[in-house]
Amino acid sequence: MKLQDTLSNSEQELDVSKKVRIYLCGITVNDESHIGHARTIIVFDVLRKYLEEKGIEIEFIQNFTDVDDKIINRAQTENTTAETISTRYIENYFRDFDGLNVKRATDYPKATEHIGDIIKFIEKLIEKQIAYTTKNGVYFSVSKFPEYGKLSKKKIDELQSGARIEIDEAKKDPLDFAVWKFSDVEPTWDSPWGKGRPGWHIECSAMSIKYLGENFDIHGGGRDLIFPHHENEIAQSESFTGSQFAKIWIHVGMVTINGEKMSKSLGNVKSIKHVLENWGPNIIRLFCLSGHYSKPIDYSEELLKENLTKWRQAEICYYELIHANSENRKISPTIEKIGTEFDNAMEDNFNTHLALSAFFKLVKEVNRLAADEKLGKADALIIKTEFERMLEILGLTIPEMTEDEKQKIDNLIASREQLRNEKQFEEADKIRGRLNEMNIELIDHKGRTIWMKKENIKAEN
RNA sequence: GGUACUCUGGCAGAACGGUUAUGCGUGGGCCUGCAAAGCCUAUACAAGGGGGUUCGACUCCCUCGGGUACCUCCA
């Protein structure tokens, strides 16, 4: 599989000959997760599900940064502890992402639970004279890492003339960044250098190396993390180990809202909770996968509606497969090729949009055959396996119905059929109406009627 | 100001140095008791602007412009 790598700025082949180790920069738990987080995490979710489906073992680590200034500020505002804040948003994270049908990572390490590892990490940097202590904390000396800037393609001297760099006289160089900050404001931990808390980037270096080793396969996150976060992680980690850190760097494009950037000041932040309530997990996942991960994607009602239309077709496809009863025995050659097409799209730089086109090609073909009553029972079974394989990888779900519910529906359909035969159409339509209220839609084929259960999408009404 | 990414028809989004992408949408028709589903058909003279290379460019090069992100704590 080829993947677009930020570091080499080219497509790199992912080594799948052994376990693939992935580290994804998760969220700083200081607020509700939003659609931008959803996109990044869904992209990685599909990546790992695809690889796992291929039988490749995955170790997938996603961190929670649960110590940072914003969390502390929020705690002060709400007159509570930082832990209360971070615990709350971690709970909300799982509520949202379980709701989005994201598979749980192998582990979700937290910064606050790895202070010992972080301190050991810093000790080694100091030992190597790469970090130094000032009155404010311990700083990483950028000048000791000649390759600094290699990920973000920034030149050190250009950065030094940057306007937004805060002057801190205690630092040797304005670019140096904190690995440990002295502080008396809780939470704090004792360290060989003084009481305080870790800097922002160090937890990811310490935890990724602890869980995945010094040289792991993929490190990822949103594009906005390239600088300084990932740049600094590389500097720290490679200084620490003396060898290459992550092999492939994947950065997921930003989500814009109707062409504008999503920001608190514009008041257009779309929380997952809100979007999930209105559109449900399937539509959101389709939306997040509808563009290439490296490019930005624009959130709009129009696009969501388009995905809703497609999702309805997929639902129909599923129920057509279940209800197929013709004796036809001819799988359309199109369908045979679609699985390969889907996989090829994924292999080629994880082109989920093309993979989705393949998926919907299958959907259309099934629905077309079914409408003509040409969908063979035996073929439907084979196609269903492939359909469900794709659903699984894409993380799309069709809820199961109980036998009781099915029986009830079948009975109602039979009554309607009776009425239709007697040309009592008004009464027959009443039954159809009743079923519609239960989100059951009827599809009349020649000589028989099948039903489908529609996902309840609030935004549709 | 700098760096990176990006700019294809109403929208989304591919491939390819020379062929209709495809999907969604929209118009018309068929099917249906009516719908839905499905089918047929029509619809866009697409390539941010301008140069160049070439027999020929959406595809390569240059240039100008727009968008997004980052330039110290944002996925």
Side-chain angles (χ1 to χ4, degrees), chain A residues 346-414:
Chain A
M346 292 299 202
E347 296 289 328
D348 185 11
N349 198 6
F350 199 55
N351 193 332
T352 51
H353 182 269
L354 271 190
L356 284 176
S357 319
F359 172 71
F360 285 110
K361 219 183 258 185
L362 180 140
V363 166
K364 284 188 104 59
E365 187 66 10
V366 165
N367 292 351
R368 203 169 63 80
L369 288 171
D372 289 347
E373 287 290 54
K374 280 182 186 160
L375 185 62
K377 215 173 181 171
D379 286 351
L381 270 176
I382 298 166
I383 298 166
K384 187 164 166 271
T385 307
E386 182 59 22
F387 178 81
E388 284 176 336
R389 181 182 81 95
M390 293 180 185
L391 278 189
E392 173 67 30
I393 291 169
L394 298 167
L396 305 172
T397 46
I398 291 173
E400 285 297 316
M401 304 273 293
T402 66
E403 287 306 315
D404 257 21
E405 286 173 308
K406 288 183 193 169
Q407 193 54 52
K408 204 173 152 196
I409 294 164
D410 286 339
N411 292 343
L412 283 166
I413 288 177

Side-chain angles (χ1 to χ4, degrees), chain A residues 1-13:
Chain A
M1 178 185 241
K2 287 184 298 178
L3 292 166
Q4 182 62 36
D5 166 43
T6 311
L7 184 58
S8 65
N9 199 9
S10 64
E11 286 182 9
Q12 292 293 315
E13 190 64 37

Side-chain angles (χ1 to χ4, degrees), chain A residues 156-414:
Chain A
I156 290 186
D157 46 345
E158 279 167 4
L159 279 170
Q160 283 170 335
S161 58
R164 280 168 63 179
I165 290 170
E166 187 185 321
I167 310 291
D168 177 352
E169 296 300 333
K171 288 200 282 187
K172 288 183 186 165
D173 186 309
L175 288 179
D176 293 349
F177 53 91
V179 289
W180 190 265
K181 291 164 131 176
F182 296 145
S183 171
D184 287 322
V185 182
E186 288 305 322
T188 59
W189 291 265
D190 288 324
S191 82
W193 320 284
K195 203 167 133 186
R197 61 176 182 268
W200 177 31
H201 323 290
I202 195 77
E203 84 283 17
C204 282
S205 289
M207 296 191 297
S208 60
I209 290 173
K210 175 173 182 174
Y211 286 81
L212 298 174
E214 298 185 355
N215 320 104
F216 52 93
D217 300 285
I218 298 174
H219 192 132
R223 285 213 89 83
D224 52 351
L225 293 184
I226 295 174
F227 190 91
H229 186 54
H230 288 162
E231 192 69 69
N232 290 355
E233 271 189 59
I234 290 177
Q236 289 164 348
S237 305
E238 297 193 352
S239 297
F240 177 83
T241 65
S243 65
Q244 190 194 18
F245 189 36
K247 290 178 195 139
I248 299 178
W249 287 83
I250 290 179
H251 289 103
V252 180
M254 298 292 104
V255 177
T256 56
I257 308 291
N258 297 312
E260 279 185 311
K261 73 168 172 181
M262 182 167 58
S263 72
K264 279 187 183 163
S265 55
L266 286 169
N268 61 357
V269 176
K270 301 284 175 191
S271 76
I272 295 172
K273 184 170 185 274
H274 172 80
V275 181
L276 205 46
E277 266 171 18
N278 285 299
W279 296 93
N282 296 311
I283 312 290
I284 298 171
R285 292 186 69 102
L286 287 171
F287 162 75
C288 288
L289 299 168
S290 68
H292 191 263
Y293 67 82
S294 64
K295 292 187 184 180
I297 195 171
D298 191 43
Y299 176 97
S300 67
E301 293 277 308
E302 196 186 353
L303 217 44
L304 257 4
K305 271 184 197 152
E306 181 175 330
N307 284 303
L308 172 60
T309 306
K310 290 178 174 179
W311 179 239
R312 291 296 185 219
Q313 293 173 345
E315 286 179 311
I316 290 167
C317 171
Y318 175 77
Y319 287 98
E320 293 287 9
L321 288 170
I322 283 185
H323 294 291
N325 74 347
S326 112
E327 293 308 316
N328 240 12
R329 195 56 246 252
K330 200 180 167 225
I331 296 183
S332 159
T334 331
I335 285 172
E336 293 174 21
K337 280 189 246 157
I338 286 172
T340 319
E341 214 176 302
F342 182 89
D343 288 0
N344 287 347
M346 292 299 202
E347 296 289 328
D348 185 11
N349 198 6
F350 199 55
N351 193 332
T352 51
H353 182 269
L354 271 190
L356 284 176
S357 319
F359 172 71
F360 285 110
K361 219 183 258 185
L362 180 140
V363 166
K364 284 188 104 59
E365 187 66 10
V366 165
N367 292 351
R368 203 169 63 80
L369 288 171
D372 289 347
E373 287 290 54
K374 280 182 186 160
L375 185 62
K377 215 173 181 171
D379 286 351
L381 270 176
I382 298 166
I383 298 166
K384 187 164 166 271
T385 307
E386 182 59 22
F387 178 81
E388 284 176 336
R389 181 182 81 95
M390 293 180 185
L391 278 189
E392 173 67 30
I393 291 169
L394 298 167
L396 305 172
T397 46
I398 291 173
E400 285 297 316
M401 304 273 293
T402 66
E403 287 306 315
D404 257 21
E405 286 173 308
K406 288 183 193 169
Q407 193 54 52
K408 204 173 152 196
I409 294 164
D410 286 339
N411 292 343
L412 283 166
I413 288 177

Side-chain angles (χ1 to χ4, degrees), chain A residues 8-24:
Chain A
S8 65
N9 199 9
S10 64
E11 286 182 9
Q12 292 293 315
E13 190 64 37
L14 176 68
D15 179 10
V16 293
S17 62
K18 48 188 185 321
K19 183 163 81 174
V20 174
R21 294 153 303 163
I22 306 173
Y23 187 89
L24 175 63

Side-chain angles (χ1 to χ4, degrees), chain A residues 430-441:
Chain A
K430 265 187 201 165
I431 293 177
R432 186 165 63 190
R434 258 175 72 192
L435 284 162
N436 282 162
E437 278 163 29
M438 297 157 61
N439 275 319
I440 304 296
E441 186 133 330

